[in-house]
Amino acid sequence: MQALRYQYRQLLRTAGLAVALGAIALSVLTPTSAWALFEDDEARKAVLELRTESRASTKEMNRAIEQMKARFEKQFDDMAKHLDRIEATARGQLELQAQLDALRQELATLRGRVEVQTNELTQTQRQQRETFAAIDERLQRFEPKQVTIDGQTFKVEQAERRSFEAALGMFRAGDFKAALGAFQQFQSAYPESPYAPSAAFWVGSSQFALKDYKAAIATHQALIALAPDGPRAPDATLNLGFAQLADGDTKAGRSTLEGLVARFPAAPAARAARERLMALPPDKPARVDRKKTGR
């Protein structure tokens, strides 16, 4: 911008100097020509008039040049101001662009930090879920569980349930001696357990399987006395009748089985009792003492 202004001013000075030199040349050459043509007073008078007119023309030309210079200077100043505004706007735009670039860089940095923190948060949440799941799994091992026993729903401790199921697994595997010990140990550890009637039934069943019939009879009788209408009563009565028959007390066994059929006619155990009764020999008639009758 400064260089442009300097060049413009130099141009104006050059133009003014050219006009001035032209005027001087005109003033010098004109008298010489006039002297060559006219040698009298009239000629000199004409020359003086021409010189005066030349000087007036020069002044007028100088005034016009000054006006022109003034207009050019004003136009130049206006142009310079306009250029200054353009430069200021351009500088502002450059500064704005620089600020935008800086903001973009800062935004990219923040985005990277957010991604890192998001990944860290995701990993932390996953670790927390895994930790909570492990804790919950451990707690569930100790929390009471809902179970169904003989058609009824109860809540039992985990260790209690595992102990009963372990003893039952021994019985089903045919290890009746181990099952008997496990069920008896269960009864001692959990006397008030909802599994207690089932445990007593399996104790009697284990005793029967081990051919300890008298113990089996006592166990089933105690269970029936404790819960005569309980869900285990039909099966316990059937096992009691079988144990009595196996122990040689056919009369008691028959009576027990007949009572089972009469008391629980629709139970599956009653069906087994009927089949066993049909296989029993008929009752012998009672012997009559003839001495007492006199015959």
Side-chain angles (χ1 to χ4, degrees):
M1 180 61 72
Q2 295 296 331
L4 181 63
R5 290 175 179 175
Y6 177 77
Q7 291 176 1
Y8 178 72
R9 288 192 176 94
Q10 287 296 108
L11 179 63
L12 292 178
R13 290 192 186 96
T14 302
L17 182 59
V19 173
L21 289 175
I24 293 172
L26 181 62
S27 65
V28 172
L29 293 175
T30 301
T32 302
S33 300
W35 280 106
L37 297 175
F38 304 98
E39 294 182 356
D40 53 9
D41 294 338
E42 185 178 354
R44 287 194 296 271
K45 184 178 178 181
V47 169
L48 291 175
E49 289 177 357
L50 289 173
R51 183 179 295 172
T52 301
E53 291 177 0
S54 175
R55 289 177 179 174
S57 297
T58 301
K59 289 182 181 179
E60 184 67 24
M61 185 179 296
N62 288 337
R63 186 166 53 254
I65 291 172
E66 290 298 328
Q67 291 176 354
M68 185 182 296
K69 288 173 61 178
R71 288 196 302 272
F72 285 168
E73 286 286 350
K74 185 176 183 306
Q75 292 176 357
F76 179 79
D77 290 340
D78 293 342
M79 185 182 297
K81 291 178 182 179
H82 183 64
L83 291 175
D84 288 340
R85 288 194 296 270
I86 293 176
E87 288 181 349
T89 302
R91 284 195 300 271
Q93 291 178 348
L94 290 175
E95 293 176 357
L96 180 60
Q97 184 63 39
Q99 293 176 359
L100 290 175
D101 292 339
L103 288 174
R104 290 192 184 98
Q105 183 63 33
E106 184 176 357
L107 181 61
T109 302
L110 290 175
R111 184 179 291 111
R113 292 178 181 175
V114 169
E115 290 178 355
V116 172
Q117 293 178 354
T118 300
N119 292 333
E120 292 177 351
L121 179 60
T122 301
Q123 293 178 359
T124 301
Q125 290 176 339
R126 184 174 62 253
Q127 292 174 355
Q128 288 180 345
R129 286 195 298 269
E130 292 174 354
T131 300
F132 291 152
I135 293 174
D136 187 61
E137 183 180 357
R138 292 178 182 177
L139 290 175
Q140 287 181 356
R141 296 177 183 176
F142 301 97
E143 291 180 349
K145 286 291 184 179
Q146 185 169 302
V147 296
T148 301
I149 304 172
D150 296 329
Q152 296 181 347
T153 302
F154 300 94
K155 277 193 174 183
V156 298
E157 299 294 334
Q158 293 280 2
E160 178 182 356
R161 181 179 61 85
R162 287 194 295 270
S163 178
F164 178 83
E165 290 180 351
L168 186 59
M170 296 174 190
F171 182 90
R172 289 172 175 171
D175 192 352
F176 304 118
K177 185 175 182 180
L180 176 60
F183 280 120
Q184 289 175 337
Q185 185 177 1
F186 178 87
Q187 288 177 316
S188 299
Y190 305 100
E192 302 298 327
S193 172
Y195 285 112
S198 294
F201 173 82
W202 291 112
V203 165
S205 298
S206 298
Q207 292 168 338
F208 182 88
L210 292 171
K211 299 182 179 181
D212 188 356
Y213 302 122
K214 294 188 181 301
I217 291 170
T219 300
H220 287 301
Q221 285 177 337
L223 175 59
I224 294 169
L226 180 65
D229 296 320
R232 286 287 178 179
D235 291 332
T237 304
L238 179 65
N239 285 357
L240 173 59
F242 284 177
Q244 290 170 335
L245 292 174
D247 192 44
D249 193 348
T250 305
K251 182 178 180 180
R254 184 188 296 273
S255 176
T256 299
L257 296 178
E258 289 174 348
L260 168 60
V261 172
R263 185 172 179 79
F264 305 103
R271 177 181 174 183
R274 293 189 189 95
E275 293 176 355
R276 188 68 178 89
L277 286 171
M278 292 176 61
L280 290 177
D283 288 338
K284 294 181 180 180
R287 180 178 293 181
V288 180
D289 190 350
R290 293 183 180 180
K291 292 181 181 180
K292 292 182 179 182
T293 58
R295 295 181 182 177

